[in-house]
mmCIF file of all heavy atoms in Angstrom:
data_model
loop_
_atom_site.group_PDB
_atom_site.id
_atom_site.type_symbol
_atom_site.label_atom_id
_atom_site.label_comp_id
_atom_site.label_asym_id
_atom_site.label_seq_id
_atom_site.Cartn_x
_atom_site.Cartn_y
_atom_site.Cartn_z
ATOM 1 N N VAL A 71 132.451 148.709 180.964
ATOM 2 C CA VAL A 71 132.868 149.848 180.105
ATOM 3 C C VAL A 71 131.669 150.760 179.797
ATOM 4 O O VAL A 71 131.632 151.904 179.794
ATOM 5 C CB VAL A 71 133.776 149.518 178.944
ATOM 6 C CG1 VAL A 71 133.956 150.758 178.148
ATOM 7 C CG2 VAL A 71 135.006 148.958 179.422
ATOM 8 N N GLY A 72 130.558 150.040 179.307
ATOM 9 C CA GLY A 72 129.489 150.643 178.961
ATOM 10 C C GLY A 72 128.780 151.561 179.982
ATOM 11 O O GLY A 72 128.410 152.765 179.604
ATOM 12 N N ARG A 73 128.686 151.055 181.213
ATOM 13 C CA ARG A 73 128.241 151.900 182.314
ATOM 14 C C ARG A 73 129.048 153.140 182.578
ATOM 15 O O ARG A 73 128.689 154.129 182.844
ATOM 16 C CB ARG A 73 128.038 150.975 183.532
ATOM 17 C CG ARG A 73 127.046 149.833 183.389
ATOM 18 C CD ARG A 73 125.671 150.358 183.312
ATOM 19 N NE ARG A 73 125.266 151.146 184.572
ATOM 20 C CZ ARG A 73 124.539 150.612 185.569
ATOM 21 N NH1 ARG A 73 124.377 149.365 185.601
ATOM 22 N NH2 ARG A 73 124.418 151.235 186.638
ATOM 23 N N LEU A 74 130.454 152.905 182.493
ATOM 24 C CA LEU A 74 131.372 153.888 182.780
ATOM 25 C C LEU A 74 131.236 154.988 181.773
ATOM 26 O O LEU A 74 131.185 156.094 181.985
ATOM 27 C CB LEU A 74 132.853 153.183 182.758
ATOM 28 C CG LEU A 74 133.923 154.260 182.998
ATOM 29 C CD1 LEU A 74 133.788 154.925 184.519
ATOM 30 C CD2 LEU A 74 135.191 153.747 182.789
ATOM 31 N N VAL A 75 131.065 154.653 180.432
ATOM 32 C CA VAL A 75 130.868 155.597 179.312
ATOM 33 C C VAL A 75 129.720 156.485 179.605
ATOM 34 O O VAL A 75 129.742 157.720 179.437
ATOM 35 C CB VAL A 75 130.865 154.884 178.098
ATOM 36 C CG1 VAL A 75 130.395 155.920 176.962
ATOM 37 C CG2 VAL A 75 132.225 154.325 177.634
ATOM 38 N N ASP A 76 128.557 155.875 180.096
ATOM 39 C CA ASP A 76 127.365 156.657 180.221
ATOM 40 C C ASP A 76 127.475 157.576 181.475
ATOM 41 O O ASP A 76 126.658 158.531 181.498
ATOM 42 C CB ASP A 76 126.171 155.670 180.539
ATOM 43 C CG ASP A 76 125.602 154.999 179.172
ATOM 44 O OD1 ASP A 76 125.834 155.746 178.177
ATOM 45 O OD2 ASP A 76 125.172 153.919 179.308
ATOM 46 N N ARG A 77 128.341 157.273 182.406
ATOM 47 C CA ARG A 77 128.505 158.268 183.523
ATOM 48 C C ARG A 77 129.508 159.315 183.382
ATOM 49 O O ARG A 77 129.362 160.280 183.849
ATOM 50 C CB ARG A 77 128.884 157.330 184.695
ATOM 51 C CG ARG A 77 127.743 156.198 185.150
ATOM 52 C CD ARG A 77 127.954 155.629 186.508
ATOM 53 N NE ARG A 77 126.816 154.819 186.826
ATOM 54 C CZ ARG A 77 125.679 154.979 187.355
ATOM 55 N NH1 ARG A 77 125.439 156.264 187.615
ATOM 56 N NH2 ARG A 77 124.796 154.227 187.682
ATOM 57 N N VAL A 78 130.589 158.989 182.614
ATOM 58 C CA VAL A 78 131.608 159.989 182.598
ATOM 59 C C VAL A 78 131.872 160.485 181.051
ATOM 60 O O VAL A 78 132.681 161.370 180.878
ATOM 61 C CB VAL A 78 133.095 159.454 183.143
ATOM 62 C CG1 VAL A 78 132.904 158.998 184.575
ATOM 63 C CG2 VAL A 78 133.533 158.373 182.305
ATOM 64 N N GLY A 79 131.218 159.881 180.146
ATOM 65 C CA GLY A 79 131.369 160.284 178.796
ATOM 66 C C GLY A 79 132.460 159.282 178.103
ATOM 67 O O GLY A 79 133.292 158.763 178.790
ATOM 68 N N PRO A 80 132.593 159.300 176.806
ATOM 69 C CA PRO A 80 133.464 158.320 176.143
ATOM 70 C C PRO A 80 134.802 158.798 175.983
ATOM 71 O O PRO A 80 135.813 157.927 175.763
ATOM 72 C CB PRO A 80 132.893 158.146 174.842
ATOM 73 C CG PRO A 80 132.136 159.404 174.484
ATOM 74 C CD PRO A 80 131.593 159.929 175.844
ATOM 75 N N VAL A 83 137.606 157.529 178.423
ATOM 76 C CA VAL A 83 137.546 156.096 178.401
ATOM 77 C C VAL A 83 138.391 155.718 177.137
ATOM 78 O O VAL A 83 139.184 154.623 177.220
ATOM 79 C CB VAL A 83 136.155 155.565 178.407
ATOM 80 C CG1 VAL A 83 136.111 154.059 178.433
ATOM 81 C CG2 VAL A 83 135.446 156.020 179.620
ATOM 82 N N HIS A 202 127.371 164.537 176.397
ATOM 83 C CA HIS A 202 126.980 163.092 176.431
ATOM 84 C C HIS A 202 125.877 162.984 177.452
ATOM 85 O O HIS A 202 126.094 163.228 178.546
ATOM 86 C CB HIS A 202 128.225 162.075 176.771
ATOM 87 C CG HIS A 202 127.753 160.727 176.893
ATOM 88 N ND1 HIS A 202 127.679 159.953 175.744
ATOM 89 C CD2 HIS A 202 127.427 159.888 177.900
ATOM 90 C CE1 HIS A 202 127.350 158.742 176.084
ATOM 91 N NE2 HIS A 202 127.079 158.574 177.306
ATOM 92 N N ALA A 203 124.664 162.535 176.927
ATOM 93 C CA ALA A 203 123.474 162.376 177.775
ATOM 94 C C ALA A 203 123.773 161.437 178.835
ATOM 95 O O ALA A 203 124.137 160.283 178.714
ATOM 96 C CB ALA A 203 122.294 161.914 176.888
ATOM 97 N N PRO A 204 123.613 161.814 180.123
ATOM 98 C CA PRO A 204 123.773 160.933 181.382
ATOM 99 C C PRO A 204 122.613 160.079 181.514
ATOM 100 O O PRO A 204 121.578 160.322 180.987
ATOM 101 C CB PRO A 204 123.971 161.965 182.486
ATOM 102 C CG PRO A 204 123.003 163.153 182.043
ATOM 103 C CD PRO A 204 123.235 163.304 180.609
ATOM 104 N N PRO A 205 122.679 158.970 182.340
ATOM 105 C CA PRO A 205 121.627 158.194 182.625
ATOM 106 C C PRO A 205 120.424 158.971 183.251
ATOM 107 O O PRO A 205 120.759 159.931 183.953
ATOM 108 C CB PRO A 205 122.108 157.114 183.599
ATOM 109 C CG PRO A 205 123.612 157.139 183.180
ATOM 110 C CD PRO A 205 123.969 158.606 182.992
ATOM 111 N N PRO A 206 119.266 158.658 183.031
ATOM 112 C CA PRO A 206 118.183 159.350 183.701
ATOM 113 C C PRO A 206 118.060 159.039 185.195
ATOM 114 O O PRO A 206 118.578 158.016 185.667
ATOM 115 C CB PRO A 206 116.896 158.829 183.079
ATOM 116 C CG PRO A 206 117.213 157.406 182.524
ATOM 117 C CD PRO A 206 118.693 157.601 182.169
ATOM 118 N N PHE A 211 117.293 151.991 182.865
ATOM 119 C CA PHE A 211 118.430 152.418 182.035
ATOM 120 C C PHE A 211 119.409 151.370 182.045
ATOM 121 O O PHE A 211 119.407 150.515 182.936
ATOM 122 C CB PHE A 211 118.840 153.923 182.369
ATOM 123 C CG PHE A 211 119.470 154.025 183.659
ATOM 124 C CD1 PHE A 211 120.819 153.800 183.947
ATOM 125 C CD2 PHE A 211 118.656 154.361 184.864
ATOM 126 C CE1 PHE A 211 121.390 153.971 185.166
ATOM 127 C CE2 PHE A 211 119.163 154.351 186.103
ATOM 128 C CZ PHE A 211 120.530 154.285 186.248
ATOM 129 N N GLY A 348 120.267 158.257 177.276
ATOM 130 C CA GLY A 348 121.055 157.996 178.494
ATOM 131 C C GLY A 348 121.780 156.751 178.686
ATOM 132 O O GLY A 348 122.536 156.570 179.677
ATOM 133 N N GLY A 351 126.167 154.519 175.659
ATOM 134 C CA GLY A 351 127.459 153.924 176.026
ATOM 135 C C GLY A 351 127.223 152.334 176.314
ATOM 136 O O GLY A 351 127.950 151.528 175.795
ATOM 137 N N THR A 352 126.149 152.044 177.162
ATOM 138 C CA THR A 352 125.795 150.718 177.558
ATOM 139 C C THR A 352 125.474 149.916 176.257
ATOM 140 O O THR A 352 125.884 148.797 176.078
ATOM 141 C CB THR A 352 124.843 150.657 178.542
ATOM 142 O OG1 THR A 352 125.220 151.345 179.691
ATOM 143 C CG2 THR A 352 124.395 149.296 178.940
#
Side-chain angles (χ1 to χ4, degrees):
V71 174
R73 295 293 298 271
L74 180 63
V75 167
D76 281 332
R77 295 188 180 279
V78 305
V83 180
H202 177 77
F211 61 91
T352 299

